[in-house]
Amino acid sequence: MYTSAHTDRPITPETTPDGTAGYFHNTYLRLPDSFYTRQGPTPLKNPRMVATSSSSCALLDVQNTPANRAALTQICSGQSLWPGSQPLAMVYSGHQFGSYNPRLGDGRGLLLGEWVNTRNEKWDLHLKGAGPTPYSRFGDGRAVLRSCIREFLASEALHHLGIPTTRALCVITSDTPVQRETIEAGSTLLRLARSHIRFGHFEYCYYRGLEKKEKNRFNNLRELADYTIWQNYPDLKADSNYYYPAFFTEVVRRTAILIARWQAAGFAHGVMNTDNMSIIGDTFDYGPYGFMDDFNWHYICNHSDHYGRYAFSQQPEIGYWNCHKLGQALTPLFSDTRLIEQALNSYGTIYTQTYLRLMLDKIGLVEQEPEDIQLIQDLLQQLHDSHCDYSRFFRTLSHYPSDAACALLQQQIGKRWLENYQERLKSNPLDDYTRQQRMKQVNPKYILRNYLAQQAISRAEQGDFQEIDKLMTVLAQPFAQWPEFEHYAAEPPPWGKQLEVSCSS
Ligand code: AMP
Ligand code: MG
């Protein structure tokens, strides 16, 4: 059970920008002050609202009204503080591309506080691009418009595909110049999450503990685990010997499920460093991510990932590797470290079962039969060999066996797999219509293709933010038909397939 010497902070009621509902709770400040540095944002010049997510606003019980957007513009540009918030920069470390970096932390983001809505749900509010902090190292503490828009679109897109993710409330841009390859506009993103604690927070406590000599050198590690469980895993039984093992087991389970969902959706994260892994199993810290256009096992979305450490096909293995690093950091809390092995061993099974179930859903099969693994493997190999568009293929398959679908599918992957599929459907307990309806609920018509994001970014950089709103409309219901937005579901133009996303953000 989490107990702390720090007392509860006063609660300020009625502190949304327009004074409607909810309050800040700021429990992170109860942790010892070595966990963070209190720090306010550095204001941006002449801020403008670029985009706001109404569905994220609803999570906070904040209405997406002109008055609130004006207030949010002030808050997210650091011109004013959200009443009741107590901003801080968190410290953490992490394994980056396989090597341990002992000191990372919020170098350009601030945890504004934890907002509790009228349903008593807690949301961390984190302002990315808020200016320098003690953890900025050589960075300027800023974020640019393109990276904020990419995170904004992706977090909302993944959420509406049913993939656990942080959310995004709004993007602000400004006249503050930021130097990257060229001068760009300093911008911010207001991120929402049930927790901003990363695997790297635990690694920081563990490695700092190793450096100390005293008996209680892992007290901070224990305090962080207790705090995290209290906040995000309240169902775990505090009096049980299995308390920390149960926590770790659950993190492993959520991570395996998350990555299975990425794989089934054709999503590559791009920078699966342990400091970008959420302790609650959310997709976290969007950088040079990508949804695949043509299926390619070896898809690398991160232009700087020269060895393909984070290639699409590597993600399940890296998820395990990251859990292993977390397990190592938690060893001081385990009386029997075999329980760490046991939890890690569950990863493969959970991943495989989840992925298989998701893929069976994508091809409309209800029960799993022994030959289905081969059927799915053959299909993926076929998609890879024929450079077939991943999402469009499954959407077309959702119309099988209409004449139009059959003609297109034969062009895409040839006859043989379709014949096997047809054979397999004979023992599937659904009629064609029902199967098609179910498949259309899991195979999106619209995905956030790189080139679509890029088009929205290019226009926004010219001051036209409408494309973001249009994309958001479609991505909020990616399985629906949008006759007026049919072009978003088309194959990308050749230039759109070759886009390289810059890592500097
Ligand atoms: P990321 O690549 O965004 O996951 O960031 C890795 C680490 O670098 C984190 O500790 C960030 O806070 C920090 N960082 C990234 N960009 C900047 C920046 N422009 N200024 C300061 N710190 C940064
Ligand atoms: Mg990061």
Side-chain angles (χ1 to χ4, degrees):
M1 181 58 186
Y2 178 71
T3 50
S4 170
H6 301 248
T7 52
D8 211 343
R9 306 280 152 168
I11 289 165
T12 320
E14 298 186 348
T15 47
T16 54
D18 67 350
T20 42
Y23 59 88
F24 272 102
H25 202 29
N26 305 322
T27 60
Y28 204 77
L29 287 165
R30 298 184 195 184
L31 289 166
D33 51 17
S34 56
F35 278 86
Y36 57 83
T37 302
R38 291 191 63 168
Q39 165 82 50
T42 310
L44 291 168
K45 280 185 229 150
N46 187 22
R48 280 101 58 198
M49 178 66 81
V50 172
T52 318
S53 160
S54 295
S55 68
S56 288
C57 283
L59 298 173
L60 305 186
D61 301 318
V62 173
Q63 307 237 329
N64 186 4
T65 58
N68 273 346
R69 284 199 295 276
L72 282 168
T73 306
Q74 294 297 303
I75 287 163
C76 295
S77 61
Q79 308 261 359
S80 61
L81 264 191
W82 195 320
S85 69
Q86 294 177 292
L88 58 89
M90 299 164 125
V91 63
Y92 52 84
S93 61
H95 280 83
Q96 298 186 306
F97 286 89
S99 309
Y100 183 63
N101 186 335
R103 198 173 157 94
L104 293 164
D106 290 331
R108 56 164 167 177
L110 296 173
L111 181 69
L112 297 184
E114 301 134 48
W115 182 256
V116 184
N117 69 16
T118 49
R119 294 172 297 286
N120 217 25
E121 296 159 347
K122 181 207 111 158
W123 287 96
D124 277 11
L125 269 58
H126 179 100
L127 187 61
K128 196 163 180 175
T133 77
Y135 315 114
S136 296
R137 296 173 293 156
F138 304 109
D140 55 11
R142 292 303 187 191
V144 294
L145 184 56
R146 60 189 156 79
S147 68
C148 291
I149 293 176
R150 280 177 55 83
E151 176 152 357
F152 180 77
L153 290 172
S155 30
E156 294 304 282
L158 264 74
H159 168 70
H160 292 291
L161 288 174
I163 304 175
T165 175
T166 58
R167 303 291 302 276
L169 192 86
C170 62
V171 173
I172 302 289
T173 193
S174 75
D175 289 343
T176 299
V178 170
Q179 178 73 56
R180 296 292 181 262
E181 284 87 358
T182 57
I183 301 275
E184 300 189 46
S187 306
T188 59
L189 171 103
L190 188 58
R191 179 162 69 192
L192 313 184
R194 294 307 189 105
S195 171
H196 270 77
I197 296 176
R198 309 152 188 255
F199 287 15
H201 280 77
F202 289 88
E203 291 179 282
Y204 180 77
C205 294
Y206 171 68
Y207 286 97
R208 287 299 293 259
L210 286 183
E211 287 164 15
K212 295 179 191 162
K213 292 279 174 281
E214 66 260 35
K215 190 163 157 264
N216 296 329
R217 60 195 182 141
F218 293 116
N219 270 4
N220 273 1
L221 179 70
R222 187 176 299 273
E223 181 131 14
L224 179 65
D226 290 350
Y227 173 80
T228 307
I229 296 169
W230 172 62
Q231 283 285 293
N232 298 105
Y233 294 90
D235 295 339
L236 298 187
K237 296 277 174 295
D239 51 356
S240 136
N241 285 338
Y242 196 57
Y243 190 48
Y244 299 117
F247 163 57
F248 180 55
T249 304
E250 181 59 15
V251 177
V252 169
R253 190 184 73 84
R254 291 192 193 189
T255 306
I257 291 174
L258 175 71
I259 293 167
R261 288 193 169 277
W262 288 353
Q263 299 307 108
F267 174 82
H269 179 282
V271 200
M272 289 175 67
N273 295 335
T274 55
D275 54 297
N276 291 339
M277 298 295 290
S278 142
I279 202 68
I280 55 168
D282 275 351
T283 312
F284 199 33
D285 258 10
Y286 292 87
Y289 66 83
F291 277 92
M292 268 194 281
D293 296 313
D294 295 348
F295 185 73
N296 172 7
W297 284 118
H298 314 301
Y299 173 59
I300 302 170
C301 58
N302 182 350
H303 188 44
S304 323
D305 184 6
H306 304 297
Y307 300 104
R309 178 181 173 85
Y310 299 137
F312 177 73
S313 59
Q314 297 302 306
Q315 295 190 126
E317 186 65 36
I318 290 288
Y320 175 85
W321 194 91
N322 288 342
C323 286
H324 177 81
K325 290 293 164 203
L326 177 65
Q328 190 178 358
L330 294 177
T331 43
L333 306 184
F334 279 61
S335 46
D336 179 356
T337 49
R338 280 174 306 183
L339 294 173
I340 293 184
E341 290 301 313
Q342 211 176 72
L344 285 170
N345 286 343
S346 68
Y347 178 95
T349 315
I350 294 167
Y351 169 79
T352 308
Q353 281 173 352
T354 310
Y355 179 67
L356 190 58
R357 185 61 258 161
L358 292 168
M359 293 309 287
L360 290 171
D361 289 344
K362 283 178 86 66
I363 60 176
L365 299 180
V366 178
E367 314 277 358
Q368 190 202 327
E369 291 188 6
E371 70 267 29
D372 290 344
I373 294 181
Q374 193 61 49
L375 188 73
I376 291 166
Q377 278 174 351
D378 287 349
L379 173 59
L380 293 174
Q381 194 57 47
Q382 195 72 54
L383 295 177
H384 176 91
D385 293 342
S386 50
H387 306 284
C388 189
D389 188 281
Y390 185 72
S391 307
R392 281 173 59 86
F393 172 83
F394 285 103
R395 189 70 185 187
T396 310
L397 192 68
S398 312
H399 295 267
Y400 183 86
S402 78
D403 289 347
C406 286
L408 198 59
L409 293 165
Q410 277 191 29
Q411 265 176 29
Q412 287 172 328
I413 57 160
K415 268 191 181 164
R416 196 179 59 84
W417 188 84
L418 283 177
E419 283 164 5
N420 293 340
Y421 182 54
Q422 177 61 46
E423 192 54 34
R424 174 63 181 85
L425 286 180
K426 289 180 186 161
S427 57
N428 197 38
L430 299 177
D431 61 59
D432 282 342
Y433 178 79
T434 314
R435 174 181 51 77
Q436 288 166 353
Q437 296 307 310
R438 285 170 67 147
M439 288 170 74
K440 283 185 218 162
Q441 291 309 308
V442 293
N443 292 315
K445 176 158 181 172
Y446 299 95
I447 56 157
L448 179 59
R449 295 180 186 275
N450 244 345
Y451 92 100
L452 292 175
Q454 191 50 46
Q455 278 177 343
I457 289 167
S458 302
R459 298 216 187 147
E461 286 175 339
Q462 308 299 315
D464 171 5
F465 307 139
Q466 284 182 23
E467 189 64 19
I468 302 174
D469 287 341
K470 286 185 198 163
L471 261 183
M472 284 285 282
T473 305
V474 170
L475 296 173
Q477 288 184 48
F479 305 104
Q481 300 283 359
W482 293 95
E484 69 276 39
F485 295 123
E486 198 64 27
H487 53 286
Y488 287 146
E491 273 230 43
W495 67 265
K497 289 188 183 182
Q498 263 112 53
L499 278 178
E500 279 175 355
V501 178
S502 163
C503 234
S504 74
S505 58

